[in-house]
Amino acid sequence: MRIITGKFKGRHFEIPRTFKARPTTDFAKENIFNVLNGYLDFDGATALDLFAGTGSISLELLSRGCRQVVCIESDRDHHRFIQQCIAKLMPRQSHTGSPAMDVGSRTDSGSADASDCASTILPIRGDVFRFVKGCRQQFDLIFADPPYALKELPTIPDLIFANNLLKPDGVFVFEHGKTNDFSSHPHFVEHRSYGSVNFSIFK
């Protein structure tokens, strides 16, 4: 797993062979981030990474200058791996994940206070659907890469917008299989395909 660009450009992390996670390929990741450059400025943005897996997207967002990245992953081993990656990149940051629990209880629509450091990444081990329904923070960017076979996958775009998780100019990027078509969704903007990887972009 490699960070494509930004302040941590070129950093590599070895993913354990026992992991079942399907990280977004470097080719697809580089291309979708190039597309997103036309939608938002990563520098100082707040981001939410759902179904974080190996943390590849979260670390890329951090490297590109996001002020705060909240990443949600339910698997214990994957969550621990993300914490280990963070510790290597930002050894002075607390990476237990506990500060991020405040995100779900916020009553304002602003971002969390990250004044203690220029950039903060908050890994939470938990259920994505429970988190989304309880979250009161809004984000500039939301990225979701659920397992392609997840039965609830088609409901995720509606869930994001029903819970008002995006800021007014925010962007939601949804990675999914080739059999899914979200072009009729009222918030759909465009679809991008890179090999077997498909992304739908919503605003």
Side-chain angles (χ1 to χ4, degrees), residues 15-16 18-23 51-55 71-85 123 125:
I15 300 173
T18 56
F19 278 17
K20 297 179 181 179
R22 169 194 37 76
F51 306 96
T54 61
C71 53
I72 315 299
E73 173 55 45
S74 62
D75 185 273
R76 179 188 60 188
D77 293 334
H78 294 175
H79 177 259
R80 185 183 296 117
F81 177 75
I82 294 171
Q83 290 180 314
Q84 291 170 351
C85 293
R125 182 187 169 200

Side-chain angles (χ1 to χ4, degrees), residues 14-187:
E14 291 296 326
I15 300 173
R17 294 183 179 182
T18 56
F19 278 17
K20 297 179 181 179
R22 169 194 37 76
T24 304
T25 65
D26 284 352
F27 174 72
K29 183 167 65 172
E30 183 171 11
N31 278 279
I32 194 61
F33 272 93
N34 287 339
V35 171
L36 290 175
N37 282 329
Y39 282 94
L40 78 159
D41 183 359
F42 291 103
D43 191 29
T46 55
L48 174 63
D49 182 14
L50 301 174
F51 306 96
T54 61
S56 173
I57 296 298
S58 291
L59 298 178
E60 189 71 34
L61 290 166
L62 186 71
S63 182
R64 290 173 184 250
C66 285
R67 182 171 66 84
Q68 181 199 42
V69 180
V70 178
C71 53
I72 315 299
E73 173 55 45
S74 62
D75 185 273
R76 179 188 60 188
D77 293 334
H78 294 175
H79 177 259
R80 185 183 296 117
F81 177 75
I82 294 171
Q83 290 180 314
Q84 291 170 351
C85 293
I86 295 169
K88 292 177 181 178
L89 293 179
M90 305 173 68
R92 293 185 179 182
Q93 183 189 296
S94 171
H95 52 278
T96 61
S98 56
M101 297 312 294
D102 290 338
V103 174
S105 60
R106 292 186 179 275
T107 56
D108 61 276
S109 60
S111 57
D113 182 8
S115 59
D116 58 331
C117 56
S119 296
T120 305
I121 181 167
L122 306 174
I124 299 175
R125 182 187 169 200
D127 178 75
V128 164
F129 295 96
R130 182 179 177 185
F131 175 86
V132 168
K133 291 175 182 177
C135 183
R136 298 297 178 264
Q137 181 178 354
Q138 290 185 316
F139 300 89
D140 296 297
L141 174 67
I142 299 174
F143 190 100
D145 178 15
Y148 290 176
L150 185 71
K151 65 178 182 179
E152 298 93 348
L153 185 149
T155 70
I156 292 174
D158 283 339
L159 191 65
I160 296 296
F161 289 98
N163 286 277
N164 198 30
L165 295 190
L166 277 180
K167 291 183 179 180
D169 293 324
V171 180
F172 170 45
V173 182
F174 191 28
E175 182 174 339
H176 55 80
K178 63 181 180 180
T179 60
N180 299 108
D181 180 5
F182 297 96
S183 58
S184 62
H185 194 279
H187 291 278

